[in-house]
Amino acid sequence: MGRQLELTPRLACIAGWVPQGARIADVGTDHAYLPVWLTLHGRVASAIASDLRPGPLDRARETGRRFGVEGRISFRLGNGLQAVGPEDCDTVVIAGMGGENIAMILSRAPWTADGEHTLLLQPQSRAEVLRAFLQDHGCAIVREALVLDRGHLYPVMEVKAGRMSLTPGQRLGGAKLLRDPLGDRYLMEKILQRQSAVAGLNRSADRADRDRADRLREEITALYIMREEWRHANCPGN
Ligand SMILES: C[S@@+](CC[C@H](N)C(=O)[O-])C[C@H]1O[C@@H](n2cnc3c(N)ncnc32)[C@H](O)[C@@H]1O
């Protein structure tokens, strides 16, 4: 890599949502591409790059060194937001982790729902767990978008303190994705994953498996309702 740092579409979407002049904390930074890019492009007033493990944090420092901004970023070792305080930042980014892990990190730092912070969240999996957590912990998804990156769809969420009331379909299929051009594909992927799981569980004689299949069938119905709403919103006349 030369002096040019190119972000992947997923990280580029998040970078585009960081307010100009923000004081960011990037939790689970790994290579620190996001804080390094934002610092290089004069987009942030300050940046913290934090990670759970020393290996990724060394990689983060190395990226900072390579692009000449190591001294302008604070590198911190810690679990979740353990090494970051509410006064250190106004924007928290947590990307590239499972939805359950992101929810766990936020639950241990209740100040993230104090109304003073913007959260930019990008779950790799189990986004529905994260959406449910946010709803139950005084947070509202104010913007959501899907990004196609190397063949995979990733939801990106902007979250603020507030209230929201999600239908089962919105919890599973997105709080603010009704107008997203990739919404139909996202919903179909979720439906197909569940249909395939149900097909496997149907072969089981185990009671717990049959209960799980029932829950998945309910989710499929909720997702089909969402898909109808998406089609209604995007393909009027169909
Ligand atoms: C797949 S990388 C994502 C890197 C970058 N955020 C991105 O989106 O491209 C996940 C990173 O999260 C870190 N991580 C996982 N759990 C964490 C936690 N509880 N606290 C801080 N970092 C964590 C891992 O060490 C790893 O470096």
Side-chain angles (χ1 to χ4, degrees), residues 8 10-11 14 26-35 50-57 59 76-82 93-98 101-102 104-105 108 122 124 150:
T8 59
R10 183 178 59 82
L11 290 179
I14 299 169
D26 183 32
V27 177
T29 197
D30 199 356
H31 290 270
Y33 292 139
L34 185 72
S50 170
D51 206 285
L52 176 64
R53 296 178 293 128
L57 207 59
R59 285 199 286 273
R76 302 187 187 177
L77 188 66
N79 189 349
L81 283 152
Q82 206 177 38
V93 178
I94 314 179
M97 288 182 216
N101 200 11
I102 296 176
M104 174 73 77
I105 289 170
R108 291 180 177 150
Q122 185 274 299
Q124 290 297 87
R150 286 170 277 190

Side-chain angles (χ1 to χ4, degrees), residues 7-195:
L7 293 181
T8 59
R10 183 178 59 82
L11 290 179
C13 172
I14 299 169
W17 288 11
V18 171
Q20 179 64 39
R23 295 182 301 122
I24 65 146
D26 183 32
V27 177
T29 197
D30 199 356
H31 290 270
Y33 292 139
L34 185 72
V36 167
W37 188 93
L38 290 167
T39 303
L40 273 175
H41 287 78
R43 291 284 317 285
V44 286
S46 64
I48 296 167
S50 170
D51 206 285
L52 176 64
R53 296 178 293 128
L57 207 59
D58 287 345
R59 285 199 286 273
R61 278 204 189 84
E62 172 53 30
T63 306
R65 237 187 325 273
R66 197 170 350 134
F67 290 95
V69 293
E70 190 196 12
R72 292 163 59 195
I73 295 174
S74 172
F75 296 91
R76 302 187 187 177
L77 188 66
N79 189 349
L81 283 152
Q82 206 177 38
V84 179
E87 64 291 345
D88 294 340
C89 59
D90 55 29
T91 305
V92 174
V93 178
I94 314 179
M97 288 182 216
E100 282 159 328
N101 200 11
I102 296 176
M104 174 73 77
I105 289 170
L106 295 176
S107 74
R108 291 180 177 150
W111 56 265
T112 48
D114 64 3
E116 304 290 322
H117 294 83
T118 296
L119 313 179
L120 299 178
L121 309 177
Q122 185 274 299
Q124 290 297 87
S125 59
R126 308 295 309 273
E128 68 277 9
V129 174
L130 179 59
R131 293 189 193 100
F133 169 86
L134 294 168
Q135 172 174 265
D136 294 344
H137 289 81
C139 291
I141 298 170
V142 297
R143 177 161 50 152
E144 190 168 4
L146 294 166
V147 180
L148 186 61
D149 195 333
R150 286 170 277 190
H152 292 283
L153 281 181
Y154 299 99
V156 177
M157 305 170 190
E158 179 181 347
V159 173
K160 301 213 185 250
R163 295 170 74 83
M164 65 176 173
S165 177
L166 301 176
T167 63
Q170 286 173 322
R171 181 174 54 77
L172 295 163
K176 297 267 179 194
L177 297 176
L178 199 58
R179 293 271 173 196
D180 194 289
L182 294 165
D184 192 49
R185 174 169 166 176
Y186 186 63
L187 293 167
M188 270 322 291
E189 282 184 7
K190 305 224 156 283
I191 289 168
L192 292 172
Q193 280 161 6
R194 282 164 177 76
Q195 284 174 336

